[in-house]
PDB file of all heavy atoms in Angstrom:
ATOM      1  N   SER A  66       0.817  -1.215   0.000  1.00  0.00           N
ATOM      2  CA  SER A  66       0.000   0.000   0.000  1.00  0.00           C
ATOM      3  C   SER A  66       0.852   1.267   0.000  1.00  0.00           C
ATOM      4  O   SER A  66       0.423   2.315  -0.485  1.00  0.00           O
ATOM      5  CB  SER A  66      -0.937   0.007   1.211  1.00  0.00           C
ATOM      6  OG  SER A  66      -0.187  -0.083   2.417  1.00  0.00           O
ATOM      7  N   ASP A  67       2.083   1.155   0.513  1.00  0.00           N
ATOM      8  CA  ASP A  67       2.968   2.321   0.518  1.00  0.00           C
ATOM      9  C   ASP A  67       3.881   2.369  -0.698  1.00  0.00           C
ATOM     10  O   ASP A  67       4.816   3.164  -0.752  1.00  0.00           O
ATOM     11  CB  ASP A  67       3.810   2.356   1.798  1.00  0.00           C
ATOM     12  CG  ASP A  67       4.624   1.078   1.998  1.00  0.00           C
ATOM     13  OD1 ASP A  67       4.504   0.157   1.153  1.00  0.00           O
ATOM     14  OD2 ASP A  67       5.359   0.999   2.992  1.00  0.00           O
ATOM     15  N   GLY A  68       3.583   1.504  -1.688  1.00  0.00           N
ATOM     16  CA  GLY A  68       4.316   1.547  -2.949  1.00  0.00           C
ATOM     17  C   GLY A  68       5.566   0.700  -3.014  1.00  0.00           C
ATOM     18  O   GLY A  68       6.264   0.705  -4.043  1.00  0.00           O
ATOM     19  N   VAL A  69       5.880  -0.067  -1.968  1.00  0.00           N
ATOM     20  CA  VAL A  69       7.064  -0.924  -1.976  1.00  0.00           C
ATOM     21  C   VAL A  69       6.832  -2.096  -2.933  1.00  0.00           C
ATOM     22  O   VAL A  69       5.809  -2.780  -2.867  1.00  0.00           O
ATOM     23  CB  VAL A  69       7.383  -1.442  -0.564  1.00  0.00           C
ATOM     24  CG1 VAL A  69       8.537  -2.444  -0.603  1.00  0.00           C
ATOM     25  CG2 VAL A  69       7.726  -0.280   0.350  1.00  0.00           C
ATOM     26  N   ILE A  70       7.786  -2.316  -3.839  1.00  0.00           N
ATOM     27  CA  ILE A  70       7.697  -3.387  -4.832  1.00  0.00           C
ATOM     28  C   ILE A  70       8.336  -4.641  -4.266  1.00  0.00           C
ATOM     29  O   ILE A  70       9.461  -4.601  -3.748  1.00  0.00           O
ATOM     30  CB  ILE A  70       8.413  -2.969  -6.130  1.00  0.00           C
ATOM     31  CG1 ILE A  70       7.734  -1.743  -6.742  1.00  0.00           C
ATOM     32  CG2 ILE A  70       8.445  -4.127  -7.126  1.00  0.00           C
ATOM     33  CD1 ILE A  70       8.563  -1.059  -7.818  1.00  0.00           C
ATOM     34  N   ARG A  71       7.624  -5.762  -4.367  1.00  0.00           N
ATOM     35  CA  ARG A  71       8.157  -7.034  -3.890  1.00  0.00           C
ATOM     36  C   ARG A  71       8.114  -8.061  -5.019  1.00  0.00           C
ATOM     37  O   ARG A  71       7.166  -8.148  -5.759  1.00  0.00           O
ATOM     38  CB  ARG A  71       7.363  -7.526  -2.679  1.00  0.00           C
ATOM     39  CG  ARG A  71       7.381  -6.544  -1.509  1.00  0.00           C
ATOM     40  CD  ARG A  71       6.805  -7.133  -0.240  1.00  0.00           C
ATOM     41  NE  ARG A  71       6.743  -6.131   0.819  1.00  0.00           N
ATOM     42  CZ  ARG A  71       7.765  -5.778   1.582  1.00  0.00           C
ATOM     43  NH1 ARG A  71       8.939  -6.349   1.404  1.00  0.00           N
ATOM     44  NH2 ARG A  71       7.628  -4.853   2.529  1.00  0.00           N
ATOM     45  N   GLY A  72       9.114  -8.884  -5.100  1.00  0.00           N
ATOM     46  CA  GLY A  72       9.259  -9.887  -6.136  1.00  0.00           C
ATOM     47  C   GLY A  72      10.657  -9.785  -6.730  1.00  0.00           C
ATOM     48  O   GLY A  72      11.394  -8.879  -6.374  1.00  0.00           O
ATOM     49  N   LEU A  73      10.992 -10.711  -7.500  1.00  0.00           N
ATOM     50  CA  LEU A  73      10.238 -11.641  -8.309  1.00  0.00           C
ATOM     51  C   LEU A  73       9.982 -12.944  -7.549  1.00  0.00           C
ATOM     52  O   LEU A  73      10.880 -13.479  -6.913  1.00  0.00           O
ATOM     53  CB  LEU A  73      11.029 -11.906  -9.589  1.00  0.00           C
ATOM     54  CG  LEU A  73      10.407 -12.790 -10.630  1.00  0.00           C
ATOM     55  CD1 LEU A  73       9.213 -12.151 -11.296  1.00  0.00           C
ATOM     56  CD2 LEU A  73      11.449 -13.186 -11.655  1.00  0.00           C
ATOM     57  N   ILE A  74       8.757 -13.485  -7.670  1.00  0.00           N
ATOM     58  CA  ILE A  74       8.375 -14.724  -7.030  1.00  0.00           C
ATOM     59  C   ILE A  74       8.294 -15.805  -8.107  1.00  0.00           C
ATOM     60  O   ILE A  74       7.623 -15.642  -9.133  1.00  0.00           O
ATOM     61  CB  ILE A  74       7.033 -14.560  -6.297  1.00  0.00           C
ATOM     62  CG1 ILE A  74       7.143 -13.397  -5.297  1.00  0.00           C
ATOM     63  CG2 ILE A  74       6.675 -15.852  -5.572  1.00  0.00           C
ATOM     64  CD1 ILE A  74       5.830 -12.962  -4.708  1.00  0.00           C
ATOM     65  N   TYR A  75       8.999 -16.922  -7.866  1.00  0.00           N
ATOM     66  CA  TYR A  75       9.234 -17.892  -8.936  1.00  0.00           C
ATOM     67  C   TYR A  75       7.991 -18.594  -9.464  1.00  0.00           C
ATOM     68  O   TYR A  75       7.816 -18.735 -10.678  1.00  0.00           O
ATOM     69  CB  TYR A  75      10.211 -18.957  -8.443  1.00  0.00           C
ATOM     70  CG  TYR A  75      11.632 -18.505  -8.256  1.00  0.00           C
ATOM     71  CD1 TYR A  75      12.559 -19.364  -7.666  1.00  0.00           C
ATOM     72  CD2 TYR A  75      12.072 -17.245  -8.651  1.00  0.00           C
ATOM     73  CE1 TYR A  75      13.877 -18.982  -7.482  1.00  0.00           C
ATOM     74  CE2 TYR A  75      13.381 -16.860  -8.465  1.00  0.00           C
ATOM     75  CZ  TYR A  75      14.288 -17.727  -7.886  1.00  0.00           C
ATOM     76  OH  TYR A  75      15.580 -17.360  -7.703  1.00  0.00           O
ATOM     77  N   ALA A  76       7.148 -19.117  -8.573  1.00  0.00           N
ATOM     78  CA  ALA A  76       6.040 -19.960  -9.034  1.00  0.00           C
ATOM     79  C   ALA A  76       5.094 -19.220  -9.975  1.00  0.00           C
ATOM     80  O   ALA A  76       4.765 -19.736 -11.054  1.00  0.00           O
ATOM     81  CB  ALA A  76       5.285 -20.548  -7.851  1.00  0.00           C
ATOM     82  N   PRO A  77       4.628 -18.019  -9.640  1.00  0.00           N
ATOM     83  CA  PRO A  77       3.771 -17.313 -10.604  1.00  0.00           C
ATOM     84  C   PRO A  77       4.507 -16.888 -11.861  1.00  0.00           C
ATOM     85  O   PRO A  77       3.913 -16.820 -12.943  1.00  0.00           O
ATOM     86  CB  PRO A  77       3.250 -16.108  -9.814  1.00  0.00           C
ATOM     87  CG  PRO A  77       4.138 -15.982  -8.632  1.00  0.00           C
ATOM     88  CD  PRO A  77       4.660 -17.341  -8.331  1.00  0.00           C
ATOM     89  N   LEU A  78       5.805 -16.628 -11.759  1.00  0.00           N
ATOM     90  CA  LEU A  78       6.580 -16.345 -12.971  1.00  0.00           C
ATOM     91  C   LEU A  78       6.554 -17.544 -13.906  1.00  0.00           C
ATOM     92  O   LEU A  78       6.337 -17.405 -15.121  1.00  0.00           O
ATOM     93  CB  LEU A  78       8.023 -16.001 -12.624  1.00  0.00           C
ATOM     94  CG  LEU A  78       8.964 -16.024 -13.825  1.00  0.00           C
ATOM     95  CD1 LEU A  78       8.694 -14.850 -14.745  1.00  0.00           C
ATOM     96  CD2 LEU A  78      10.413 -16.083 -13.410  1.00  0.00           C
ATOM     97  N   ALA A  79       6.771 -18.752 -13.346  1.00  0.00           N
ATOM     98  CA  ALA A  79       6.771 -19.950 -14.181  1.00  0.00           C
ATOM     99  C   ALA A  79       5.405 -20.166 -14.832  1.00  0.00           C
ATOM    100  O   ALA A  79       5.314 -20.527 -16.015  1.00  0.00           O
ATOM    101  CB  ALA A  79       7.165 -21.163 -13.340  1.00  0.00           C
ATOM    102  N   SER A  80       4.343 -19.923 -14.080  1.00  0.00           N
ATOM    103  CA  SER A  80       2.999 -20.050 -14.658  1.00  0.00           C
ATOM    104  C   SER A  80       2.804 -19.048 -15.794  1.00  0.00           C
ATOM    105  O   SER A  80       2.244 -19.389 -16.844  1.00  0.00           O
ATOM    106  CB  SER A  80       1.947 -19.818 -13.575  1.00  0.00           C
ATOM    107  OG  SER A  80       2.006 -20.819 -12.590  1.00  0.00           O
ATOM    108  N   TYR A  81       3.241 -17.842 -15.592  1.00  0.00           N
ATOM    109  CA  TYR A  81       3.138 -16.809 -16.632  1.00  0.00           C
ATOM    110  C   TYR A  81       3.912 -17.220 -17.881  1.00  0.00           C
ATOM    111  O   TYR A  81       3.393 -17.124 -19.014  1.00  0.00           O
ATOM    112  CB  TYR A  81       3.664 -15.497 -16.070  1.00  0.00           C
ATOM    113  CG  TYR A  81       3.824 -14.384 -17.069  1.00  0.00           C
ATOM    114  CD1 TYR A  81       2.771 -13.969 -17.872  1.00  0.00           C
ATOM    115  CD2 TYR A  81       5.048 -13.714 -17.190  1.00  0.00           C
ATOM    116  CE1 TYR A  81       2.932 -12.933 -18.789  1.00  0.00           C
ATOM    117  CE2 TYR A  81       5.210 -12.680 -18.094  1.00  0.00           C
ATOM    118  CZ  TYR A  81       4.155 -12.291 -18.893  1.00  0.00           C
ATOM    119  OH  TYR A  81       4.316 -11.266 -19.793  1.00  0.00           O
ATOM    120  N   ALA A  82       5.141 -17.718 -17.711  1.00  0.00           N
ATOM    121  CA  ALA A  82       5.948 -18.123 -18.855  1.00  0.00           C
ATOM    122  C   ALA A  82       5.296 -19.248 -19.633  1.00  0.00           C
ATOM    123  O   ALA A  82       5.291 -19.257 -20.873  1.00  0.00           O
ATOM    124  CB  ALA A  82       7.348 -18.536 -18.388  1.00  0.00           C
ATOM    125  N   ARG A  83       4.689 -20.207 -18.911  1.00  0.00           N
ATOM    126  CA  ARG A  83       4.047 -21.341 -19.580  1.00  0.00           C
ATOM    127  C   ARG A  83       2.761 -20.934 -20.268  1.00  0.00           C
ATOM    128  O   ARG A  83       2.522 -21.261 -21.445  1.00  0.00           O
ATOM    129  CB  ARG A  83       3.758 -22.444 -18.558  1.00  0.00           C
ATOM    130  CG  ARG A  83       4.965 -23.206 -18.072  1.00  0.00           C
ATOM    131  CD  ARG A  83       4.546 -24.462 -17.316  1.00  0.00           C
ATOM    132  NE  ARG A  83       3.770 -24.134 -16.133  1.00  0.00           N
ATOM    133  CZ  ARG A  83       4.280 -24.051 -14.906  1.00  0.00           C
ATOM    134  NH1 ARG A  83       5.565 -24.234 -14.713  1.00  0.00           N
ATOM    135  NH2 ARG A  83       3.511 -23.774 -13.873  1.00  0.00           N
ATOM    136  N   GLU A  84       1.894 -20.242 -19.539  1.00  0.00           N
ATOM    137  CA  GLU A  84       0.529 -20.035 -20.004  1.00  0.00           C
ATOM    138  C   GLU A  84       0.404 -18.901 -21.009  1.00  0.00           C
ATOM    139  O   GLU A  84      -0.492 -18.923 -21.861  1.00  0.00           O
ATOM    140  CB  GLU A  84      -0.382 -19.795 -18.805  1.00  0.00           C
ATOM    141  CG  GLU A  84      -0.475 -21.021 -17.904  1.00  0.00           C
ATOM    142  CD  GLU A  84      -1.222 -20.747 -16.613  1.00  0.00           C
ATOM    143  OE1 GLU A  84      -1.946 -19.723 -16.544  1.00  0.00           O
ATOM    144  OE2 GLU A  84      -1.077 -21.552 -15.667  1.00  0.00           O
ATOM    145  N   VAL A  85       1.272 -17.923 -20.938  1.00  0.00           N
ATOM    146  CA  VAL A  85       1.194 -16.783 -21.856  1.00  0.00           C
ATOM    147  C   VAL A  85       2.210 -16.902 -22.982  1.00  0.00           C
ATOM    148  O   VAL A  85       1.909 -16.598 -24.136  1.00  0.00           O
ATOM    149  CB  VAL A  85       1.389 -15.457 -21.088  1.00  0.00           C
ATOM    150  CG1 VAL A  85       1.419 -14.269 -22.049  1.00  0.00           C
ATOM    151  CG2 VAL A  85       0.273 -15.277 -20.056  1.00  0.00           C
ATOM    152  N   HIS A  86       3.417 -17.374 -22.666  1.00  0.00           N
ATOM    153  CA  HIS A  86       4.488 -17.387 -23.669  1.00  0.00           C
ATOM    154  C   HIS A  86       4.836 -18.788 -24.159  1.00  0.00           C
ATOM    155  O   HIS A  86       5.725 -18.940 -24.998  1.00  0.00           O
ATOM    156  CB  HIS A  86       5.726 -16.695 -23.107  1.00  0.00           C
ATOM    157  CG  HIS A  86       5.484 -15.257 -22.761  1.00  0.00           C
ATOM    158  ND1 HIS A  86       5.290 -14.286 -23.722  1.00  0.00           N
ATOM    159  CD2 HIS A  86       5.350 -14.636 -21.563  1.00  0.00           C
ATOM    160  CE1 HIS A  86       5.076 -13.126 -23.140  1.00  0.00           C
ATOM    161  NE2 HIS A  86       5.095 -13.305 -21.835  1.00  0.00           N
ATOM    162  N   ALA A  87       4.128 -19.810 -23.664  1.00  0.00           N
ATOM    163  CA  ALA A  87       4.274 -21.195 -24.136  1.00  0.00           C
ATOM    164  C   ALA A  87       5.686 -21.730 -23.953  1.00  0.00           C
ATOM    165  O   ALA A  87       6.103 -22.641 -24.666  1.00  0.00           O
ATOM    166  CB  ALA A  87       3.841 -21.322 -25.600  1.00  0.00           C
ATOM    167  N   LEU A  88       6.440 -21.174 -23.020  1.00  0.00           N
ATOM    168  CA  LEU A  88       7.722 -21.764 -22.653  1.00  0.00           C
ATOM    169  C   LEU A  88       7.482 -22.877 -21.642  1.00  0.00           C
ATOM    170  O   LEU A  88       6.578 -22.792 -20.811  1.00  0.00           O
ATOM    171  CB  LEU A  88       8.629 -20.723 -21.997  1.00  0.00           C
ATOM    172  CG  LEU A  88       9.271 -19.644 -22.853  1.00  0.00           C
ATOM    173  CD1 LEU A  88      10.141 -18.752 -21.978  1.00  0.00           C
ATOM    174  CD2 LEU A  88      10.113 -20.250 -23.968  1.00  0.00           C
ATOM    175  N   THR A  89       8.295 -23.919 -21.689  1.00  0.00           N
ATOM    176  CA  THR A  89       8.314 -24.826 -20.563  1.00  0.00           C
ATOM    177  C   THR A  89       9.126 -24.148 -19.457  1.00  0.00           C
ATOM    178  O   THR A  89      10.158 -23.539 -19.718  1.00  0.00           O
ATOM    179  CB  THR A  89       8.935 -26.180 -20.946  1.00  0.00           C
ATOM    180  OG1 THR A  89      10.261 -25.977 -21.423  1.00  0.00           O
ATOM    181  CG2 THR A  89       8.102 -26.859 -22.022  1.00  0.00           C
ATOM    182  N   ALA A  90       8.645 -24.220 -18.239  1.00  0.00           N
ATOM    183  CA  ALA A  90       9.296 -23.527 -17.132  1.00  0.00           C
ATOM    184  C   ALA A  90       9.168 -24.371 -15.876  1.00  0.00           C
ATOM    185  O   ALA A  90       8.082 -24.842 -15.544  1.00  0.00           O
ATOM    186  CB  ALA A  90       8.650 -22.160 -16.907  1.00  0.00           C
ATOM    187  N   THR A  91      10.283 -24.566 -15.188  1.00  0.00           N
ATOM    188  CA  THR A  91      10.319 -25.380 -13.980  1.00  0.00           C
ATOM    189  C   THR A  91      11.012 -24.610 -12.868  1.00  0.00           C
ATOM    190  O   THR A  91      12.116 -24.093 -13.065  1.00  0.00           O
ATOM    191  CB  THR A  91      11.076 -26.705 -14.233  1.00  0.00           C
ATOM    192  OG1 THR A  91      10.446 -27.408 -15.306  1.00  0.00           O
ATOM    193  CG2 THR A  91      11.067 -27.576 -12.985  1.00  0.00           C
ATOM    194  N   VAL A  92      10.363 -24.540 -11.714  1.00  0.00           N
ATOM    195  CA  VAL A  92      10.964 -23.912 -10.538  1.00  0.00           C
ATOM    196  C   VAL A  92      11.893 -24.920  -9.869  1.00  0.00           C
ATOM    197  O   VAL A  92      11.509 -26.066  -9.636  1.00  0.00           O
ATOM    198  CB  VAL A  92       9.875 -23.460  -9.544  1.00  0.00           C
ATOM    199  CG1 VAL A  92      10.505 -22.932  -8.251  1.00  0.00           C
ATOM    200  CG2 VAL A  92       8.993 -22.395 -10.177  1.00  0.00           C
ATOM    201  N   HIS A  93      13.104 -24.487  -9.563  1.00  0.00           N
ATOM    202  CA  HIS A  93      14.080 -25.318  -8.860  1.00  0.00           C
ATOM    203  C   HIS A  93      14.343 -24.669  -7.506  1.00  0.00           C
ATOM    204  O   HIS A  93      15.155 -23.747  -7.391  1.00  0.00           O
ATOM    205  CB  HIS A  93      15.373 -25.438  -9.664  1.00  0.00           C
ATOM    206  CG  HIS A  93      15.178 -26.022 -11.023  1.00  0.00           C
ATOM    207  ND1 HIS A  93      15.158 -27.384 -11.264  1.00  0.00           N
ATOM    208  CD2 HIS A  93      14.957 -25.417 -12.224  1.00  0.00           C
ATOM    209  CE1 HIS A  93      14.951 -27.597 -12.563  1.00  0.00           C
ATOM    210  NE2 HIS A  93      14.830 -26.424 -13.152  1.00  0.00           N
ATOM    211  N   ARG A  94      13.637 -25.166  -6.500  1.00  0.00           N
ATOM    212  CA  ARG A  94      13.776 -24.586  -5.166  1.00  0.00           C
ATOM    213  C   ARG A  94      15.148 -24.872  -4.581  1.00  0.00           C
ATOM    214  O   ARG A  94      15.700 -24.071  -3.825  1.00  0.00           O
ATOM    215  CB  ARG A  94      12.677 -25.145  -4.258  1.00  0.00           C
ATOM    216  CG  ARG A  94      12.528 -24.449  -2.930  1.00  0.00           C
ATOM    217  CD  ARG A  94      11.223 -24.856  -2.273  1.00  0.00           C
ATOM    218  NE  ARG A  94      11.027 -24.148  -1.005  1.00  0.00           N
ATOM    219  CZ  ARG A  94      11.261 -24.680   0.179  1.00  0.00           C
ATOM    220  NH1 ARG A  94      11.726 -25.928   0.257  1.00  0.00           N
ATOM    221  NH2 ARG A  94      11.053 -23.992   1.284  1.00  0.00           N
ATOM    222  N   ARG A  95      15.713 -26.011  -4.942  1.00  0.00           N
ATOM    223  CA  ARG A  95      17.090 -26.356  -4.596  1.00  0.00           C
ATOM    224  C   ARG A  95      17.780 -26.818  -5.868  1.00  0.00           C
ATOM    225  O   ARG A  95      17.307 -27.735  -6.530  1.00  0.00           O
ATOM    226  CB  ARG A  95      17.124 -27.444  -3.525  1.00  0.00           C
ATOM    227  CG  ARG A  95      16.555 -26.997  -2.185  1.00  0.00           C
ATOM    228  CD  ARG A  95      16.627 -28.107  -1.142  1.00  0.00           C
ATOM    229  NE  ARG A  95      16.082 -27.659   0.138  1.00  0.00           N
ATOM    230  CZ  ARG A  95      14.803 -27.698   0.457  1.00  0.00           C
ATOM    231  NH1 ARG A  95      13.917 -28.156  -0.427  1.00  0.00           N
ATOM    232  NH2 ARG A  95      14.390 -27.264   1.634  1.00  0.00           N
TER     233      ARG A  95
END
């Protein structure tokens, strides 16, 4: 609410890459 930007968060990024840009994308937590 005070305008602080947070991210990048991996899981939604991977979903975005797959569903919008048709890339295969895998999150590697380790």
